[in-house]
C-alpha cells in the first residue's frame, strides 16, 4: 500500500477567491431571475437578481453584459411590483382586473 497522499489532497485551498466560472454562473442566474421576475414572484426574484448581478460584477465575471442586464431587470421587477401595488393596493396582482 502506498502512503503518499492523493495529489488533490495536497493542494492548498484558496480562501476568499471565487472562480470566474462561479461569477459567470451568478451573472446568468441574475439575468434569468430578473427575466422571470417580470412575470411571477417579483417580490422575491427582483432582489435576488439585484444581489447576484452585483456579486457577479464584483467578482469579475466575463459575462458583464448579462450581469448588468440581470441587475437592470431586477430593478425593473421592483418597479413593476411598486406600480402593481399602487394600482391594486395589495402585494398580489391578477390579470382579471
Amino acid at each position: 500500500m502506498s502512503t503518499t497522499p492523493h495529489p488533490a489532497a495536497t493542494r492548498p485551498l484558496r480562501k476568499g477567491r471565487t472562480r470566474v466560472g462561479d461569477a459567470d454562473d451568478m451573472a446568468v442566474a441574475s439575468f434569468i431571475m430578473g427575466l422571470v421576475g417580470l412575470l411571477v414572484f417579483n417580490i422575491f426574484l427582483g432582489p435576488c437578481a439585484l444581489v447576484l448581478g452585483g456579486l457577479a460584477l464584483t467578482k469579475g465575471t466575463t459575462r458583464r453584459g448579462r450581469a448588468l442586464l440581470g441587475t437592470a431587470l431586477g430593478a425593473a421587477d421592483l418597479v413593476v411590483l411598486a406600480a402593481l401595488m399602487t394600482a391594486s393596493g395589495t402585494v398580489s396582482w391578477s390579470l382579471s382586473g
Side-chain angles (χ1 to χ4, degrees), residues 16-38:
R17 302 192 91 194
T18 304
R19 295 180 318 167
V20 173
D22 291 342
D24 289 348
D25 292 344
M26 283 190 271
V28 172
S30 171
F31 174 72
I32 291 171
M33 284 183 175
L35 197 59
V36 172
L38 287 173

Side-chain angles (χ1 to χ4, degrees), residues 1 12 17 26 28 40 47 52 57 62 65 68 70 77 84 87 96:
M1 252 216 178
R17 302 192 91 194
M26 283 190 271
V28 172
V40 293
L52 283 175
L57 290 170
T62 58
L68 289 171
D77 290 349
L84 292 172
S96 63

Side-chain angles (χ1 to χ4, degrees), residues 16-96:
R17 302 192 91 194
T18 304
R19 295 180 318 167
V20 173
D22 291 342
D24 289 348
D25 292 344
M26 283 190 271
V28 172
S30 171
F31 174 72
I32 291 171
M33 284 183 175
L35 197 59
V36 172
L38 287 173
L39 302 174
V40 293
F41 298 125
N42 47 6
I43 195 167
F44 174 72
L45 293 177
C48 287
L50 283 170
V51 169
L52 283 175
L55 282 173
L57 290 170
T58 303
K59 301 291 182 184
T61 182
T62 58
R63 296 180 180 201
R64 185 171 167 79
R66 285 214 178 113
L68 289 171
L69 277 173
T71 304
L73 286 170
D77 290 349
L78 296 178
V79 169
V80 167
L81 177 65
L84 292 172
M85 284 175 52
T86 303
S88 68
T90 180
V91 176
S92 64
W93 56 278
S94 66
L95 298 176
S96 63

